[in-house]
Amino acid sequence: MKKFIFIIIALLFIIISMTAYPQKIFIISDIDDTIKITGVKAGTKEMIEQGSRSRAFFSIDTVYQLFYENGLGSNGPDREIFFVSGAPGPVGKLSTYFLKKNEFPFPSKAYFLNKKIGEKTLDAKLNAITPIIEGNPNSTFILIGDNGEFDPDVYKTLQDKYGTRLVVFIHYVYAATNPNIVNYSTSSARQLFEIYKGQTPYFTGVDLAVQFYRLGLISKENLLKVANESLQNIDPIYYNNIKNESNYSAEYSNNHSLRHNQKLFYQEWMTGCKGYMSSEWSNLVTPFIQEDLEIISKAERIKSIITQFKGCEISTP
């Protein structure tokens, strides 16, 4: 009897998974501070230094690529990715260069907003995104942005209009007023760096991948690939199974690739360095992978690298 019930539950889960997204699934993604290290709100000097480079937050390119690959079928792709940036026309070419250099999937279009005179960035983004949603009435949309400027407000307006067709992830890269927790707005107008309820924060490509796994957008094998790639890049000593913790710590201090790896690059202005990851991890990550020891051990190691080893104080050349 128990075996029969288990089979029924398994079949229901498969049916739900197959029908959860009956039509196309789109990612609509911002670029600066969402997937590209830019430091728009970290100060003029920081923004100039980082904005001129083409460095991605680690593993997010892989998450996007796996999302796209999982939609490839005999009838062509049933997933698309749009990049919508507030970068004006000529500056948009730099963003295109960034996307290609960091191997983000580029199957669809990139929109770089040429705002009209007097037009607000918020309105310009709404005017760019709304036709995509309106033109695909039976599709689901994954909106991805950051908490530096207008993305939470743009996405909140769209959530209010289109409801459950939209899933929103916000890169919580800047610290808000209340230290060490994610700040959700308690009013209709948010304070600086807050996000809205119904918007899920993420800190790294790994916990974003966990959310995609939770939604059935990528597989367990895909999630492991993101975790392994991240560890291989940011912590090769641990990845290569050094077990002696004292030796591990010593080697970490002297040889850790965080000093040189340009895909990790966390600095003090990023919330991962301020304890936010520790306070939110149990809500955002642990419940969805807690029964898989292999995944959770790797995810916890990645969290500890960023929050405990003072890696955020290290600047890369």
Short mmCIF file of all heavy atoms in Angstrom, two decimals, residues 180-231:
data_model
loop_
_atom_site.label_atom_id
_atom_site.label_comp_id
_atom_site.label_asym_id
_atom_site.label_seq_id
_atom_site.Cartn_x
_atom_site.Cartn_y
_atom_site.Cartn_z
N ASN A 180 22.33 43.38 8.47
CA ASN A 180 22.39 41.92 8.55
C ASN A 180 21.08 41.20 8.27
O ASN A 180 20.97 40.01 8.53
CB ASN A 180 22.93 41.47 9.91
CG ASN A 180 24.34 41.95 10.14
OD1 ASN A 180 25.11 42.14 9.18
ND2 ASN A 180 24.70 42.18 11.38
N ILE A 181 20.08 41.88 7.75
CA ILE A 181 18.89 41.20 7.27
C ILE A 181 18.48 41.83 5.94
O ILE A 181 18.82 42.97 5.66
CB ILE A 181 17.70 41.27 8.25
CG1 ILE A 181 17.24 42.73 8.45
CG2 ILE A 181 18.03 40.61 9.57
CD1 ILE A 181 15.95 42.84 9.21
N VAL A 182 17.75 41.08 5.15
CA VAL A 182 17.20 41.64 3.93
C VAL A 182 16.03 42.55 4.31
O VAL A 182 15.15 42.17 5.06
CB VAL A 182 16.73 40.53 2.98
CG1 VAL A 182 15.94 41.11 1.81
CG2 VAL A 182 17.94 39.76 2.45
N ASN A 183 16.03 43.76 3.78
CA ASN A 183 15.01 44.74 4.12
C ASN A 183 13.88 44.71 3.09
O ASN A 183 14.09 45.01 1.91
CB ASN A 183 15.62 46.14 4.15
CG ASN A 183 16.50 46.38 5.37
OD1 ASN A 183 16.37 47.37 6.06
ND2 ASN A 183 17.41 45.45 5.63
N TYR A 184 12.68 44.35 3.55
CA TYR A 184 11.50 44.37 2.71
C TYR A 184 10.68 45.61 3.05
O TYR A 184 10.45 45.92 4.22
CB TYR A 184 10.64 43.12 2.95
CG TYR A 184 11.32 41.84 2.54
CD1 TYR A 184 12.05 41.08 3.46
CD2 TYR A 184 11.23 41.37 1.23
CE1 TYR A 184 12.67 39.91 3.09
CE2 TYR A 184 11.84 40.19 0.85
CZ TYR A 184 12.56 39.46 1.78
OH TYR A 184 13.18 38.29 1.40
N SER A 185 10.23 46.32 2.03
CA SER A 185 9.48 47.54 2.25
C SER A 185 8.16 47.24 2.95
O SER A 185 7.46 46.28 2.61
CB SER A 185 9.20 48.24 0.92
OG SER A 185 8.40 49.38 1.12
N THR A 186 7.83 48.07 3.91
CA THR A 186 6.55 47.92 4.62
C THR A 186 5.51 48.92 4.11
O THR A 186 4.42 49.02 4.66
CB THR A 186 6.75 48.13 6.14
OG1 THR A 186 7.35 49.42 6.35
CG2 THR A 186 7.66 47.05 6.72
N SER A 187 5.86 49.68 3.08
CA SER A 187 4.93 50.65 2.52
C SER A 187 4.95 50.53 1.00
O SER A 187 5.69 49.74 0.42
CB SER A 187 5.31 52.07 2.94
OG SER A 187 6.58 52.43 2.39
N SER A 188 4.12 51.34 0.35
CA SER A 188 4.05 51.27 -1.11
C SER A 188 5.28 51.87 -1.77
O SER A 188 5.58 51.57 -2.93
CB SER A 188 2.79 52.00 -1.60
OG SER A 188 2.81 53.35 -1.15
N ALA A 189 6.00 52.73 -1.05
CA ALA A 189 7.23 53.33 -1.58
C ALA A 189 8.40 52.84 -0.73
O ALA A 189 8.47 53.09 0.46
CB ALA A 189 7.14 54.85 -1.53
N ARG A 190 9.31 52.14 -1.36
CA ARG A 190 10.42 51.55 -0.61
C ARG A 190 11.51 52.57 -0.33
O ARG A 190 11.68 53.54 -1.06
CB ARG A 190 11.00 50.36 -1.39
CG ARG A 190 11.71 50.75 -2.66
CD ARG A 190 12.12 49.56 -3.49
NE ARG A 190 12.79 50.01 -4.70
CZ ARG A 190 14.12 50.10 -4.85
NH1 ARG A 190 14.91 49.74 -3.84
NH2 ARG A 190 14.65 50.54 -5.95
N GLN A 191 12.26 52.30 0.73
CA GLN A 191 13.44 53.10 1.05
C GLN A 191 14.61 52.58 0.21
O GLN A 191 14.55 51.50 -0.40
CB GLN A 191 13.75 53.00 2.54
CG GLN A 191 12.65 53.52 3.44
CD GLN A 191 12.36 54.99 3.22
OE1 GLN A 191 13.27 55.81 3.20
NE2 GLN A 191 11.08 55.32 3.03
N LEU A 192 15.71 53.33 0.21
CA LEU A 192 16.88 52.99 -0.58
C LEU A 192 17.34 51.57 -0.29
O LEU A 192 17.53 51.19 0.87
CB LEU A 192 18.01 53.97 -0.29
CG LEU A 192 19.29 53.82 -1.13
CD1 LEU A 192 19.00 54.12 -2.60
CD2 LEU A 192 20.39 54.73 -0.60
N PHE A 193 17.52 50.77 -1.33
CA PHE A 193 18.04 49.40 -1.30
C PHE A 193 17.07 48.38 -0.72
O PHE A 193 17.41 47.20 -0.63
CB PHE A 193 19.38 49.32 -0.57
CG PHE A 193 20.45 50.22 -1.15
CD1 PHE A 193 21.42 50.79 -0.34
CD2 PHE A 193 20.48 50.50 -2.50
CE1 PHE A 193 22.39 51.62 -0.87
CE2 PHE A 193 21.45 51.33 -3.05
CZ PHE A 193 22.41 51.89 -2.23
N GLU A 194 15.88 48.77 -0.31
CA GLU A 194 14.88 47.79 0.09
C GLU A 194 14.34 47.07 -1.14
O GLU A 194 14.50 47.53 -2.27
CB GLU A 194 13.72 48.47 0.82
CG GLU A 194 14.04 48.98 2.20
CD GLU A 194 12.83 49.60 2.88
OE1 GLU A 194 11.87 49.98 2.17
OE2 GLU A 194 12.83 49.70 4.11
N ILE A 195 13.70 45.93 -0.90
CA ILE A 195 12.95 45.26 -1.96
C ILE A 195 11.53 45.04 -1.43
O ILE A 195 11.24 45.34 -0.27
CB ILE A 195 13.60 43.93 -2.39
CG1 ILE A 195 13.60 42.91 -1.25
CG2 ILE A 195 15.02 44.18 -2.88
CD1 ILE A 195 14.14 41.54 -1.68
N TYR A 196 10.67 44.51 -2.27
CA TYR A 196 9.27 44.31 -1.88
C TYR A 196 9.01 42.85 -1.54
O TYR A 196 9.69 41.95 -2.04
CB TYR A 196 8.33 44.74 -3.01
CG TYR A 196 8.34 46.22 -3.29
CD1 TYR A 196 9.04 46.73 -4.39
CD2 TYR A 196 7.66 47.12 -2.47
CE1 TYR A 196 9.04 48.08 -4.67
CE2 TYR A 196 7.67 48.48 -2.74
CZ TYR A 196 8.36 48.96 -3.84
OH TYR A 196 8.37 50.30 -4.10
N LYS A 197 8.02 42.62 -0.70
CA LYS A 197 7.58 41.26 -0.44
C LYS A 197 7.07 40.67 -1.75
O LYS A 197 6.46 41.35 -2.56
CB LYS A 197 6.47 41.25 0.61
CG LYS A 197 6.96 41.62 2.00
CD LYS A 197 5.85 41.54 3.04
CE LYS A 197 6.38 41.86 4.42
NZ LYS A 197 5.30 41.81 5.44
N GLY A 198 7.35 39.38 -1.93
CA GLY A 198 7.03 38.75 -3.19
C GLY A 198 8.18 38.79 -4.17
O GLY A 198 8.08 38.26 -5.28
N GLN A 199 9.30 39.40 -3.76
CA GLN A 199 10.52 39.42 -4.55
C GLN A 199 11.58 38.65 -3.77
O GLN A 199 11.82 38.93 -2.59
CB GLN A 199 10.97 40.85 -4.82
CG GLN A 199 9.94 41.65 -5.59
CD GLN A 199 10.35 43.10 -5.84
OE1 GLN A 199 11.25 43.63 -5.21
NE2 GLN A 199 9.66 43.74 -6.78
N THR A 200 12.22 37.68 -4.40
CA THR A 200 13.16 36.81 -3.72
C THR A 200 14.59 37.32 -3.92
O THR A 200 15.03 37.47 -5.07
CB THR A 200 13.06 35.37 -4.26
OG1 THR A 200 11.72 34.90 -4.06
CG2 THR A 200 14.04 34.45 -3.53
N PRO A 201 15.32 37.59 -2.83
CA PRO A 201 16.70 38.03 -2.99
C PRO A 201 17.63 36.87 -3.31
O PRO A 201 17.36 35.73 -2.96
CB PRO A 201 17.03 38.62 -1.61
CG PRO A 201 16.18 37.84 -0.67
CD PRO A 201 14.91 37.52 -1.42
N TYR A 202 18.72 37.17 -4.00
CA TYR A 202 19.79 36.20 -4.16
C TYR A 202 21.13 36.92 -3.98
O TYR A 202 21.22 38.14 -4.13
CB TYR A 202 19.73 35.48 -5.52
CG TYR A 202 20.11 36.31 -6.72
CD1 TYR A 202 21.42 36.32 -7.21
CD2 TYR A 202 19.15 37.07 -7.40
CE1 TYR A 202 21.77 37.08 -8.32
CE2 TYR A 202 19.50 37.82 -8.51
CZ TYR A 202 20.81 37.83 -8.96
OH TYR A 202 21.15 38.58 -10.05
N PHE A 203 22.16 36.14 -3.60
CA PHE A 203 23.47 36.71 -3.31
C PHE A 203 24.54 36.21 -4.27
O PHE A 203 25.50 36.93 -4.57
CB PHE A 203 23.88 36.37 -1.87
CG PHE A 203 22.91 36.87 -0.84
CD1 PHE A 203 21.90 36.06 -0.36
CD2 PHE A 203 23.00 38.17 -0.37
CE1 PHE A 203 21.00 36.52 0.57
CE2 PHE A 203 22.10 38.65 0.56
CZ PHE A 203 21.09 37.82 1.05
N THR A 204 24.42 34.98 -4.72
CA THR A 204 25.40 34.37 -5.61
C THR A 204 24.69 33.56 -6.68
O THR A 204 23.48 33.32 -6.60
CB THR A 204 26.34 33.41 -4.83
OG1 THR A 204 25.59 32.24 -4.48
CG2 THR A 204 26.92 34.06 -3.59
N GLY A 205 25.46 33.12 -7.67
CA GLY A 205 24.89 32.24 -8.67
C GLY A 205 24.41 30.93 -8.08
O GLY A 205 23.49 30.30 -8.60
N VAL A 206 25.00 30.52 -6.96
CA VAL A 206 24.64 29.25 -6.35
C VAL A 206 23.23 29.29 -5.75
O VAL A 206 22.41 28.40 -5.99
CB VAL A 206 25.67 28.84 -5.28
CG1 VAL A 206 25.25 27.55 -4.59
CG2 VAL A 206 27.05 28.68 -5.91
N ASP A 207 22.94 30.32 -4.94
CA ASP A 207 21.60 30.33 -4.36
C ASP A 207 20.54 30.70 -5.40
O ASP A 207 19.38 30.31 -5.29
CB ASP A 207 21.51 31.23 -3.12
CG ASP A 207 21.99 32.65 -3.33
OD1 ASP A 207 23.18 32.83 -3.64
OD2 ASP A 207 21.19 33.58 -3.17
N LEU A 208 20.92 31.42 -6.47
CA LEU A 208 19.98 31.62 -7.57
C LEU A 208 19.70 30.29 -8.25
O LEU A 208 18.55 29.99 -8.60
CB LEU A 208 20.55 32.62 -8.57
CG LEU A 208 19.64 32.96 -9.76
CD1 LEU A 208 18.34 33.59 -9.29
CD2 LEU A 208 20.36 33.89 -10.74
N ALA A 209 20.72 29.46 -8.41
CA ALA A 209 20.54 28.13 -9.00
C ALA A 209 19.63 27.27 -8.13
O ALA A 209 18.82 26.48 -8.65
CB ALA A 209 21.88 27.45 -9.20
N VAL A 210 19.74 27.39 -6.81
CA VAL A 210 18.86 26.65 -5.90
C VAL A 210 17.40 27.04 -6.16
O VAL A 210 16.50 26.19 -6.20
CB VAL A 210 19.24 26.89 -4.43
CG1 VAL A 210 18.16 26.35 -3.50
CG2 VAL A 210 20.58 26.23 -4.11
N GLN A 211 17.16 28.33 -6.37
CA GLN A 211 15.79 28.78 -6.65
C GLN A 211 15.29 28.25 -7.99
O GLN A 211 14.13 27.84 -8.11
CB GLN A 211 15.74 30.32 -6.64
CG GLN A 211 16.03 30.94 -5.29
CD GLN A 211 15.02 30.55 -4.23
OE1 GLN A 211 13.83 30.36 -4.52
NE2 GLN A 211 15.48 30.43 -3.00
N PHE A 212 16.16 28.21 -8.99
CA PHE A 212 15.77 27.65 -10.28
C PHE A 212 15.48 26.15 -10.14
O PHE A 212 14.55 25.63 -10.77
CB PHE A 212 16.88 27.88 -11.31
CG PHE A 212 16.85 29.22 -11.97
CD1 PHE A 212 16.45 30.36 -11.27
CD2 PHE A 212 17.23 29.37 -13.29
CE1 PHE A 212 16.41 31.60 -11.88
CE2 PHE A 212 17.19 30.61 -13.91
CZ PHE A 212 16.79 31.73 -13.20
N TYR A 213 16.26 25.48 -9.33
CA TYR A 213 16.05 24.05 -9.05
C TYR A 213 14.71 23.85 -8.36
O TYR A 213 13.94 22.95 -8.70
CB TYR A 213 17.20 23.53 -8.20
CG TYR A 213 17.03 22.13 -7.67
CD1 TYR A 213 17.00 21.03 -8.52
CD2 TYR A 213 16.93 21.90 -6.30
CE1 TYR A 213 16.86 19.74 -8.03
CE2 TYR A 213 16.79 20.62 -5.79
CZ TYR A 213 16.76 19.54 -6.66
OH TYR A 213 16.62 18.27 -6.17
N ARG A 214 14.40 24.70 -7.40
CA ARG A 214 13.13 24.63 -6.66
C ARG A 214 11.95 24.77 -7.62
O ARG A 214 10.92 24.11 -7.46
CB ARG A 214 13.08 25.75 -5.62
CG ARG A 214 11.75 25.90 -4.91
CD ARG A 214 11.78 27.00 -3.86
NE ARG A 214 11.90 28.32 -4.44
CZ ARG A 214 10.86 29.04 -4.85
NH1 ARG A 214 9.62 28.56 -4.76
NH2 ARG A 214 11.02 30.26 -5.34
N LEU A 215 12.09 25.61 -8.64
CA LEU A 215 11.01 25.85 -9.58
C LEU A 215 10.96 24.82 -10.71
O LEU A 215 10.08 24.87 -11.55
CB LEU A 215 11.16 27.25 -10.20
CG LEU A 215 10.96 28.42 -9.24
CD1 LEU A 215 11.36 29.73 -9.93
CD2 LEU A 215 9.52 28.49 -8.75
N GLY A 216 11.92 23.90 -10.73
CA GLY A 216 11.95 22.89 -11.77
C GLY A 216 12.53 23.39 -13.09
O GLY A 216 12.33 22.76 -14.13
N LEU A 217 13.25 24.50 -13.04
CA LEU A 217 13.82 25.08 -14.26
C LEU A 217 15.16 24.45 -14.62
O LEU A 217 15.57 24.50 -15.78
CB LEU A 217 14.00 26.59 -14.09
CG LEU A 217 12.73 27.39 -13.82
CD1 LEU A 217 13.05 28.84 -13.51
CD2 LEU A 217 11.79 27.30 -15.03
N ILE A 218 15.86 23.91 -13.64
CA ILE A 218 17.10 23.16 -13.88
C ILE A 218 17.06 21.89 -13.04
O ILE A 218 16.27 21.79 -12.09
CB ILE A 218 18.37 23.99 -13.55
CG1 ILE A 218 18.41 24.35 -12.05
CG2 ILE A 218 18.46 25.23 -14.41
CD1 ILE A 218 19.71 25.02 -11.63
N SER A 219 17.91 20.95 -13.37
CA SER A 219 17.92 19.65 -12.68
C SER A 219 18.88 19.66 -11.50
O SER A 219 19.68 20.59 -11.32
CB SER A 219 18.34 18.55 -13.66
OG SER A 219 19.70 18.75 -14.06
N LYS A 220 18.84 18.58 -10.72
CA LYS A 220 19.80 18.42 -9.63
C LYS A 220 21.22 18.37 -10.18
O LYS A 220 22.15 18.94 -9.59
CB LYS A 220 19.50 17.13 -8.86
CG LYS A 220 20.55 16.82 -7.79
CD LYS A 220 20.29 15.47 -7.15
CE LYS A 220 21.44 15.08 -6.23
NZ LYS A 220 21.22 13.75 -5.60
N GLU A 221 21.40 17.69 -11.30
CA GLU A 221 22.72 17.62 -11.91
C GLU A 221 23.21 19.00 -12.32
O GLU A 221 24.39 19.32 -12.19
CB GLU A 221 22.68 16.70 -13.14
CG GLU A 221 22.51 15.22 -12.82
CD GLU A 221 21.12 14.86 -12.31
OE1 GLU A 221 20.15 15.59 -12.63
OE2 GLU A 221 20.99 13.84 -11.59
N ASN A 222 22.28 19.83 -12.83
CA ASN A 222 22.63 21.20 -13.17
C ASN A 222 23.07 21.98 -11.94
O ASN A 222 24.06 22.73 -11.98
CB ASN A 222 21.43 21.92 -13.79
CG ASN A 222 21.02 21.37 -15.14
OD1 ASN A 222 19.87 21.53 -15.54
ND2 ASN A 222 21.93 20.74 -15.85
N LEU A 223 22.32 21.82 -10.84
CA LEU A 223 22.66 22.52 -9.60
C LEU A 223 24.03 22.11 -9.09
O LEU A 223 24.83 22.95 -8.65
CB LEU A 223 21.58 22.24 -8.55
CG LEU A 223 21.78 22.85 -7.16
CD1 LEU A 223 21.99 24.36 -7.23
CD2 LEU A 223 20.60 22.52 -6.24
N LEU A 224 24.32 20.81 -9.16
CA LEU A 224 25.64 20.33 -8.75
C LEU A 224 26.73 20.92 -9.64
O LEU A 224 27.82 21.25 -9.17
CB LEU A 224 25.69 18.80 -8.81
CG LEU A 224 25.17 18.06 -7.58
CD1 LEU A 224 25.07 16.57 -7.87
CD2 LEU A 224 26.06 18.31 -6.37
N LYS A 225 26.43 21.06 -10.92
CA LYS A 225 27.42 21.65 -11.83
C LYS A 225 27.74 23.07 -11.42
O LYS A 225 28.91 23.48 -11.40
CB LYS A 225 26.88 21.63 -13.27
CG LYS A 225 27.85 22.24 -14.28
CD LYS A 225 27.31 22.13 -15.70
CE LYS A 225 28.32 22.74 -16.69
NZ LYS A 225 27.84 22.61 -18.09
N VAL A 226 26.72 23.86 -11.07
CA VAL A 226 26.95 25.24 -10.64
C VAL A 226 27.77 25.27 -9.35
O VAL A 226 28.72 26.05 -9.22
CB VAL A 226 25.61 25.97 -10.43
CG1 VAL A 226 25.84 27.36 -9.84
CG2 VAL A 226 24.85 26.07 -11.75
N ALA A 227 27.41 24.40 -8.39
CA ALA A 227 28.15 24.36 -7.12
C ALA A 227 29.60 23.93 -7.33
O ALA A 227 30.52 24.53 -6.77
CB ALA A 227 27.44 23.42 -6.14
N ASN A 228 29.80 22.90 -8.14
CA ASN A 228 31.16 22.42 -8.40
C ASN A 228 31.99 23.46 -9.13
O ASN A 228 33.16 23.68 -8.79
CB ASN A 228 31.12 21.12 -9.21
CG ASN A 228 30.71 19.92 -8.38
OD1 ASN A 228 30.96 19.88 -7.17
ND2 ASN A 228 30.08 18.96 -9.00
N GLU A 229 31.40 24.10 -10.10
CA GLU A 229 32.13 25.13 -10.84
C GLU A 229 32.54 26.28 -9.92
O GLU A 229 33.65 26.79 -9.99
CB GLU A 229 31.27 25.67 -11.97
CG GLU A 229 31.91 26.79 -12.76
CD GLU A 229 30.95 27.43 -13.73
OE1 GLU A 229 30.74 26.86 -14.81
OE2 GLU A 229 30.39 28.50 -13.41
N SER A 230 31.62 26.64 -9.02
CA SER A 230 31.91 27.73 -8.09
C SER A 230 33.05 27.36 -7.16
O SER A 230 33.98 28.14 -6.95
CB SER A 230 30.66 28.07 -7.28
OG SER A 230 29.61 28.48 -8.14
N LEU A 231 32.99 26.16 -6.61
CA LEU A 231 34.06 25.72 -5.70
C LEU A 231 35.38 25.57 -6.43
O LEU A 231 36.45 25.89 -5.89
CB LEU A 231 33.67 24.40 -5.03
CG LEU A 231 32.70 24.51 -3.86
CD1 LEU A 231 32.26 23.13 -3.41
CD2 LEU A 231 33.34 25.25 -2.69
#
